[in-house]
């Protein structure tokens, strides 16, 4: 198979720079205005060079990049650009799997006779994306989705990389285990405690050692290390496993009525997302982050699956009462709906 992984470079920030040429070359931070209390959604490579990273508090980003351009996110615009990009990709194959708003997999196995070898297809995609949208993307080529994603990550920004079966016993072995999609920070830390820091070490470690540490997950880790992600590119997105919404207040608050009003709005938006997918939720979770940055969550199982705002809000309000937040200052509230049917 010939799989491409298309990864848009600093997507939100790049969209802002494309529609406002005066921002090109400047450190752009998308997440909220200067002095705001949000977190960085994404930032341009000029800002990354100064240490700014996604999920970083805006205040910290300001200290690292005092001359940065701080912008609130415009998700409506980003989504519109995303939809046009997906249509562009479907011009090369009907097997396009949307992984996120800025990532997609393409199976171009059957497209080679029409468009040429995978690297030629990747180059044409980059050229069209830049010509039509003024954006750059990094593209990885592999025989599996895993190898394609790793190849894209190794060639950012605006590069084209390729990892094949021969690289599994070569270049792949030299990479840190965290470079493999599917190994997150917690698993990487657990592997590090065993002295396993590179993909080569993960390939070579006796399976009994992995099984003792990870149980049933050991087989999956070994498969990742060998690049054996056999999942096909699927053009139909699976339904979400959960739906969540949250908001950060402009000022810390212990006003219970304000918190209730915020929860009502979040519940209504989350339930709307549910109905858009034709789903109902059985589990409701309330998330509270205090001004100390300590975060707590409370979960309740409903008597029956629901897709109605009053039912969800009532459960959230009861969970809020149980926390007795009136004596503590709250920075953020969030809602998550899970156990979907």
């Amino acid at each position: 198979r010939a799989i491409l992984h298309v990864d848009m470079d600093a997507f939100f920030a790049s969209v802002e720079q494309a529609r406002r040429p005066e921002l090109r070359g400047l450190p752009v931070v998308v997440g909220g205005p200067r002095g705001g209390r949000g977190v960085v959604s994404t930032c341009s490579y000029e800002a990354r060079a100064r240490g700014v990273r996604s999920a970083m508090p805006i205040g910290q980003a300001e200290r690292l990049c005092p001359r940065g351009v701080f912008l609130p996110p415009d998700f409506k615009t980003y989504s519109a650009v995303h939809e046009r990009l997906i249509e562009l990709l479907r011009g090369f194959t009907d097997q396009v799997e949307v992984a996120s708003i800025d990532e997609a997999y393409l199976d171009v196995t059957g497209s080679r006779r029409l468009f040429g070898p995978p690297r030629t297809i990747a180059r044409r995609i980059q050229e069209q994306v830049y010509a039509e949208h003024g954006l750059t993307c990094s593209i990885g080529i592999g025989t599996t989705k895993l190898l394609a994603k790793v190849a894209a990550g190794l060639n950012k920004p605006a590069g084209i990389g390729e990892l094949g079966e021969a690289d599994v016993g070569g270049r792949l072995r030299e990479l840190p285990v965290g470079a493999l999609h599917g190994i997150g920070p917690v698993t990487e830390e657990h592997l590090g405690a065993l002295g396993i820091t590179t993909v080569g070490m993960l390939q070579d470690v006796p399976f009994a050692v992995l099984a003792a540490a990870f149980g049933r997950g050991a087989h999956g880790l070994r498969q990742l290390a060998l690049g054996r992600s056999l999942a096909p590119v699927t053009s139909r997105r699976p339904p979400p496993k959960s739906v969540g919404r949250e908001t950060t207040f402009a000022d810390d608050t212990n006003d219970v009525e304000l918190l209730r009003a915020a929860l009502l709005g979040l519940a209504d938006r989350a339930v709307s997302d549910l109905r858009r997918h034709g789903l109902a939720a059985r589990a409701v979770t309330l998330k509270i982050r205090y001004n100390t940055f300590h975060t707590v969550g409370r979960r309740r199982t409903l008597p029956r699956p629901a897709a109605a705002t009053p039912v969800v809000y009532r459960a959230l309000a009861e969970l809020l009462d149980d926390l007795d937040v009136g004596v503590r200052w709250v920075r953020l509230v969030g809602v998550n709906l899970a156990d979907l049917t």
Side-chain angles (χ1 to χ4, degrees):
R1 291 188 300 172
I3 309 297
L4 305 187
H5 180 254
V6 179
D7 189 354
M8 301 304 299
D9 298 323
F11 183 48
F12 296 170
S14 295
V15 171
E16 297 292 352
Q17 289 176 319
R19 67 175 178 170
R20 297 168 60 181
E22 69 273 14
L23 297 181
R24 289 193 180 275
L26 298 180
V28 175
V29 180
V30 177
R34 187 180 294 275
R37 294 162 50 82
V39 297
V40 177
S41 293
T42 193
C43 59
S44 67
Y45 285 93
E46 294 85 359
R48 295 182 192 191
R50 292 163 173 79
V52 181
R53 294 291 182 269
S54 298
M56 176 182 289
I58 290 294
Q60 183 180 354
E62 280 189 76
R63 291 190 292 272
L64 290 171
C65 190
R67 295 188 178 181
V69 179
F70 289 79
L71 302 172
D74 182 354
F75 292 114
K76 184 176 181 180
T77 294
Y78 309 149
S79 295
V81 174
H82 161 80
E83 294 296 334
R84 293 196 295 272
L85 288 170
I86 297 303
E87 286 305 309
L88 185 155
L89 298 179
R90 289 188 176 126
F92 292 89
T93 173
D94 59 351
Q95 297 185 63
V96 177
E97 178 179 334
V98 178
S100 68
I101 195 170
D102 60 351
E103 295 179 83
Y105 292 97
L106 288 72
D107 188 333
V108 296
T109 305
S111 305
R112 289 177 284 199
R113 182 171 297 178
L114 184 60
F115 296 110
R119 186 170 286 272
T120 299
I121 296 174
R123 191 176 301 112
R124 290 184 62 176
I125 289 173
Q126 285 185 331
E127 291 170 352
Q128 287 192 26
V129 167
Y130 190 79
E132 296 181 22
H133 300 281
L135 305 174
T136 65
C137 59
S138 303
I139 301 180
I141 304 167
T143 52
T144 66
K145 289 162 65 175
L146 173 65
L147 292 176
K149 183 173 178 66
V150 174
L154 293 176
N155 291 274
K156 292 186 71 68
I160 297 175
E162 188 167 359
L163 288 175
E165 297 298 331
D167 295 304
V168 172
R171 285 191 294 164
L172 197 67
R173 290 178 57 84
E174 303 168 3
L175 300 178
V177 290
L180 296 177
H181 181 58
I183 295 183
V186 174
T187 302
E188 185 176 9
E189 184 178 344
H190 288 171
L191 288 170
L194 298 174
I196 302 169
T197 58
T198 68
V199 175
M201 291 178 178
L202 185 55
Q203 291 177 355
D204 298 339
V205 65
F207 188 76
V209 174
L210 277 184
F214 294 96
R216 294 180 179 178
H219 179 70
L221 288 173
R222 181 75 93 199
Q223 294 297 96
L224 287 177
L226 297 174
R228 294 175 181 167
S229 166
L230 299 180
V233 173
T234 56
S235 55
R236 179 177 298 177
R237 288 190 82 172
K241 295 182 178 179
S242 65
V243 170
R245 294 282 187 163
E246 63 182 39
T247 187
T248 300
F249 296 111
D251 298 296
D252 299 332
T253 181
N254 63 354
D255 185 336
V256 176
E257 292 307 312
L258 176 61
L259 293 172
R260 286 176 178 272
L263 283 177
L264 178 59
L266 293 172
D268 191 52
R269 290 161 61 193
V271 167
S272 294
D273 291 341
L274 275 187
R275 291 198 293 262
R276 191 175 302 116
H277 292 285
L279 297 170
R282 186 73 183 269
V284 177
T285 299
L286 168 67
K287 174 182 175 181
I288 295 286
R289 179 170 296 151
Y290 296 107
N291 63 337
T292 59
F293 281 85
H294 175 62
T295 304
V296 298
R298 294 293 184 270
R299 178 182 169 110
R300 174 161 298 181
T301 300
L302 301 174
R304 62 187 62 84
T309 299
V311 176
V312 171
Y313 171 69
R314 187 160 51 247
L316 290 167
E318 291 172 358
L319 291 171
L320 183 68
D321 291 340
D322 291 343
L323 284 175
D324 193 24
V325 296
V327 298
R328 300 185 65 178
W329 293 89
V330 175
R331 173 186 177 87
L332 172 150
V333 293
V335 173
N336 186 269
L337 307 180
D339 194 4
L340 307 182
T341 58

